[in-house]
Amino acid sequence: MFCSAVGGLRLPGPQTISEAAPKLLSIPIIHTFREEIFLTSELLKQWEFMSMSQKVSPSRRDFLKTSGVLATSLALAGTTARNVHAAGSDEIRLALIGCGGRGNGAIRDRLAVKDNAKVVAVADAFEWSAKNAAKGLREDEEHKSKIDISDDNIFHGLEAYKKATDLLRPGIDQVVIANPPGFRPVQYRYAVEKGVHVFMEKPCCTDALGYKTLVEANEIADKKNLKVCVGLQRRHDPGYREWIAKIHDGLIGDVSYTRVFWNGGGIWCRSRDPGEGELHYQVKNWYHFVYLCGDNINEQHIHNIDVGLWMHGKGDDKCHPVSANAQGGRQNRAASDAVMRSAPPFSDREAWDKWYQEKKNDCGRYGQAWDHFFVEFTFADGSRMFSQCRHVPNCWNCVGQSINGTKGYGQSELGPTFLKDFAGNELFKTNANSGQFRLEHVHHNEAIREDEPMNNGWYAAMSSMTTVLGREAAFSGKIVTWDDLVNKGKVYMPKDGFSSFDETPPVLPDADGFYEGSVAKPGQYNPFVS
């Protein structure tokens, strides 16, 4: 049903985007961040009739459910609901955990949903980041009426997430988790144990232990009827949903193999401050440490791998490969051999800091992360998914997915999204990859207010662990099975995270202050607990 793809609204009318398109006043159907969906007066009249015919229950749960239908509908129309909410009675309080770029983007996408919600707290590992986020939200002209953050509710530190989550009411309020991936399993588990709804960014773990924590948290969320949304936003795109549905319906036969890509030029890397503590520096520069980030196959390429699992899964949110073999490496090192050899011992920190201030422009990619991977994943039915990702400048860049079935083939994001038979006849074509960042919050809000089932945590756990499987196969140079890695995979992130920057991280710098010695070497690296 078209309307369930765009916000899950229970409306009569067209069944597909193609059939619905003539009834919309604007194409494409969904625009970018600050633009809105325009709906025909016919559809608006249908919504008006639906809202007038709703029977409102005196209970809080039913009131949230009923009023949420119209609130979400009008959110998509770019208007606010009027004379529907009793003052403050259906308000959802929001807490943001992780105030970096994605956290600031996610909370604004959530606030763009035209419902009764307020941000009441922010939390980040770093004080400056939490304060900047609060200041930016308070001054945001578009959303400041939805901001109610007191100075006492701006939290910082490695356990700040607990203070922010503790302010929320069980079964009603929502946390937005966007801290580095290594922290997410623990923070997710804490949130569902407290009984609050969760929006969580991807990926959701960096190792097998984190995956098992996710599974436990998902089970808790299901038992408590909590609504969990994960930032794998392609799952919420109407075009993607139609394309995947056609694949699952067998339009191009059974899946033979898929190919998924995220090849790009590089990623940010932050320099070290004089005298900066080790864990403080690593959390600040989290993308370049495997226990915090999971490497780029996990942090970024998970989007495409998730679409791959979606294609292979035939509706099973717990679909995953059974094994992987892979290769990759680290083409771009921290600096040239000559520069690194010139460094004084890191143990003489004062001398090293002075040297580094002079040489830091000659240094590049710190940390231990690889910059390219190629993986072959095998599924239980014998089908394959071929995955490639890269962070190397001046190379072929590509982000997208393709599929080959027994009767045809197709692609998404690599130009038009289509399915064709082997004679080249077009079987299906649609627009995809638009409005996703906002739609995921529209769908989540509707699930909360209408008490509809929603736990994206299951497919997000499978996609996150699949990327870990590919990484560990590449790091080791061996064929690694899913079951072996889940049961005895190497532990990267401490089970309960960290409570203080004074703690010792699991990775320490080499004598020269860099981390090349901890970079995984195929043939030597052991992916399992010894």
Coordinates of all heavy atoms in Angstrom, one line a residue, residues 302-333:
I302 N 28.1 -0.4 5.9 CA 26.9 -1.2 6.4 C 25.6 -0.8 5.7 O 24.7 -1.7 5.5 CB 26.7 -1.0 7.9 CG1 25.6 -1.9 8.5 CG2 26.5 0.5 8.2 CD1 25.4 -1.8 10.0
H303 N 25.5 0.4 5.2 CA 24.3 0.8 4.4 C 24.0 -0.2 3.3 O 22.9 -0.7 3.0 CB 24.4 2.2 3.9 CG 24.2 3.3 5.0 ND1 23.0 3.4 5.7 CD2 25.1 4.2 5.5 CE1 23.1 4.4 6.5 NE2 24.4 4.9 6.4
N304 N 25.1 -0.4 2.5 CA 24.9 -1.2 1.3 C 24.8 -2.7 1.7 O 24.1 -3.5 1.0 CB 26.1 -1.0 0.4 CG 26.5 0.4 0.3 OD1 27.5 0.9 0.9 ND2 25.7 1.2 -0.4
I305 N 25.6 -3.1 2.7 CA 25.5 -4.5 3.1 C 24.1 -4.8 3.7 O 23.5 -5.9 3.4 CB 26.6 -4.8 4.1 CG1 28.0 -4.9 3.4 CG2 26.3 -6.1 4.9 CD1 29.2 -5.1 4.3
D306 N 23.5 -3.8 4.3 CA 22.1 -4.0 4.8 C 21.2 -4.2 3.7 O 20.3 -5.0 3.8 CB 21.8 -2.8 5.7 CG 20.3 -2.9 6.2 OD1 20.1 -3.8 7.0 OD2 19.5 -2.1 5.8
V307 N 21.3 -3.4 2.6 CA 20.4 -3.6 1.5 C 20.7 -5.0 0.9 O 19.7 -5.6 0.4 CB 20.7 -2.5 0.4 CG1 19.9 -2.8 -0.9 CG2 20.3 -1.1 1.0
G308 N 21.9 -5.4 0.9 CA 22.2 -6.8 0.4 C 21.5 -7.8 1.2 O 20.9 -8.7 0.6
L309 N 21.5 -7.7 2.5 CA 20.8 -8.7 3.3 C 19.3 -8.6 3.1 O 18.6 -9.6 3.1 CB 21.1 -8.5 4.8 CG 22.5 -8.7 5.3 CD1 22.6 -8.6 6.8 CD2 23.1 -10.0 4.8
W310 N 18.8 -7.4 2.9 CA 17.4 -7.2 2.6 C 17.0 -7.9 1.3 O 16.0 -8.6 1.2 CB 17.2 -5.7 2.4 CG 15.8 -5.2 2.5 CD1 14.6 -5.9 2.9 CD2 15.4 -3.8 2.2 NE1 13.5 -5.0 2.8 CE2 14.0 -3.8 2.4 CE3 16.0 -2.7 1.8 CZ2 13.2 -2.6 2.3 CZ3 15.3 -1.5 1.7 CH2 13.9 -1.5 1.9
M311 N 17.9 -7.8 0.3 CA 17.6 -8.5 -1.0 C 17.6 -10.0 -0.8 O 16.7 -10.7 -1.3 CB 18.6 -8.1 -2.0 CG 18.5 -6.7 -2.5 SD 19.6 -6.3 -4.0 CE 21.2 -6.0 -3.2
H312 N 18.6 -10.5 -0.1 CA 18.7 -12.0 0.1 C 17.7 -12.5 1.1 O 17.4 -13.7 1.0 CB 20.1 -12.3 0.6 CG 21.2 -12.3 -0.4 ND1 21.6 -13.4 -1.1 CD2 22.0 -11.2 -0.8 CE1 22.6 -13.0 -1.9 NE2 22.8 -11.7 -1.8
G313 N 17.1 -11.7 2.0 CA 16.4 -12.2 3.1 C 15.0 -12.6 2.9 O 14.4 -13.3 3.7
K314 N 14.3 -12.2 1.8 CA 13.0 -12.6 1.5 C 12.0 -12.3 2.6 O 11.1 -13.1 3.0 CB 12.9 -14.1 1.1 CG 13.7 -14.4 -0.1 CD 13.7 -15.9 -0.4 CE 14.6 -16.3 -1.6 NZ 14.7 -17.7 -1.8
G315 N 12.2 -11.1 3.3 CA 11.4 -10.7 4.4 C 11.8 -11.2 5.8 O 11.2 -10.8 6.8
D316 N 12.9 -11.9 5.8 CA 13.4 -12.4 7.1 C 14.4 -11.4 7.7 O 15.5 -11.2 7.2 CB 14.2 -13.7 6.9 CG 14.7 -14.3 8.2 OD1 14.4 -13.7 9.3 OD2 15.4 -15.3 8.2
D317 N 14.0 -10.7 8.8 CA 14.9 -9.7 9.4 C 16.1 -10.3 10.1 O 17.0 -9.5 10.5 CB 14.1 -8.9 10.5 CG 13.2 -7.8 9.9 OD1 13.2 -7.6 8.6 OD2 12.4 -7.2 10.6
K318 N 16.1 -11.6 10.2 CA 17.3 -12.2 10.8 C 18.2 -12.9 9.8 O 19.0 -13.8 10.1 CB 16.9 -13.2 11.9 CG 16.1 -12.5 13.1 CD 15.7 -13.5 14.2 CE 15.0 -12.7 15.3 NZ 14.5 -13.6 16.3
C319 N 18.0 -12.6 8.5 CA 18.9 -13.1 7.5 C 20.3 -12.7 7.7 O 20.6 -11.6 8.0 CB 18.4 -12.6 6.1 SG 19.5 -13.0 4.7
H320 N 21.2 -13.6 7.5 CA 22.7 -13.3 7.5 C 23.4 -14.4 6.7 O 23.0 -15.5 6.5 CB 23.2 -13.3 9.0 CG 23.0 -14.6 9.7 ND1 23.8 -15.7 9.5 CD2 22.1 -15.0 10.7 CE1 23.5 -16.7 10.3 NE2 22.4 -16.3 11.0
P321 N 24.7 -14.1 6.3 CA 25.5 -15.1 5.6 C 26.0 -16.1 6.6 O 26.0 -15.9 7.8 CB 26.6 -14.2 5.1 CG 26.7 -13.0 6.0 CD 25.3 -12.7 6.4
V322 N 26.4 -17.2 6.1 CA 27.0 -18.3 6.9 C 28.5 -18.2 7.0 O 29.1 -18.8 7.9 CB 26.5 -19.7 6.5 CG1 25.0 -19.8 6.6 CG2 26.9 -20.0 5.0
S323 N 29.1 -17.6 6.0 CA 30.6 -17.5 6.0 C 31.1 -16.3 5.1 O 30.3 -15.8 4.4 CB 31.2 -18.8 5.5 OG 30.9 -19.0 4.2
A324 N 32.3 -16.0 5.3 CA 32.9 -15.0 4.5 C 34.4 -15.3 4.2 O 35.1 -15.8 5.1 CB 32.8 -13.6 5.2
N325 N 34.9 -14.9 3.0 CA 36.3 -14.8 2.8 C 36.6 -13.5 2.2 O 35.7 -12.9 1.5 CB 36.8 -16.0 1.9 CG 36.5 -15.8 0.5 OD1 37.3 -15.1 -0.2 ND2 35.4 -16.3 0.0
A326 N 37.8 -12.9 2.5 CA 38.0 -11.5 2.2 C 39.4 -11.1 2.1 O 40.3 -11.9 2.5 CB 37.3 -10.6 3.2
Q327 N 39.7 -9.9 1.6 CA 41.0 -9.4 1.6 C 40.9 -7.8 1.6 O 39.8 -7.3 1.4 CB 41.8 -9.8 0.4 CG 41.1 -9.5 -1.0 CD 41.9 -10.1 -2.1 OE1 43.0 -9.6 -2.4 NE2 41.4 -11.1 -2.7
G328 N 42.0 -7.2 1.9 CA 42.0 -5.7 2.0 C 43.3 -5.3 2.6 O 44.3 -6.0 2.5
G329 N 43.4 -4.0 3.1 CA 44.6 -3.5 3.6 C 44.6 -2.1 4.0 O 43.5 -1.5 4.0
R330 N 45.8 -1.6 4.3 CA 45.9 -0.2 4.7 C 46.9 0.5 3.8 O 48.1 0.4 4.0 CB 46.4 -0.1 6.2 CG 46.6 1.2 6.7 CD 47.0 1.1 8.2 NE 47.5 2.3 8.8 CZ 46.7 3.3 9.4 NH1 45.4 3.1 9.5 NH2 47.3 4.4 9.9
Q331 N 46.4 1.1 2.7 CA 47.3 1.7 1.7 C 47.9 3.0 2.3 O 49.1 3.3 2.0 CB 46.5 2.0 0.5 CG 47.3 2.6 -0.7 CD 48.2 1.6 -1.3 OE1 48.0 0.4 -1.2 NE2 49.2 2.1 -2.0
N332 N 47.1 3.8 3.0 CA 47.5 5.1 3.5 C 47.9 5.0 5.0 O 47.0 4.8 5.8 CB 46.4 6.1 3.3 CG 46.1 6.4 1.9 OD1 47.0 6.9 1.2 ND2 44.9 6.0 1.4
R333 N 49.2 5.2 5.3 CA 49.6 5.0 6.7 C 49.6 6.4 7.4 O 49.3 7.4 6.8 CB 51.0 4.4 6.7 CG 51.1 3.1 6.0 CD 52.5 2.6 5.8 NE 53.1 2.2 7.1 CZ 54.4 2.3 7.4 NH1 55.2 2.8 6.5 NH2 54.8 2.0 8.6

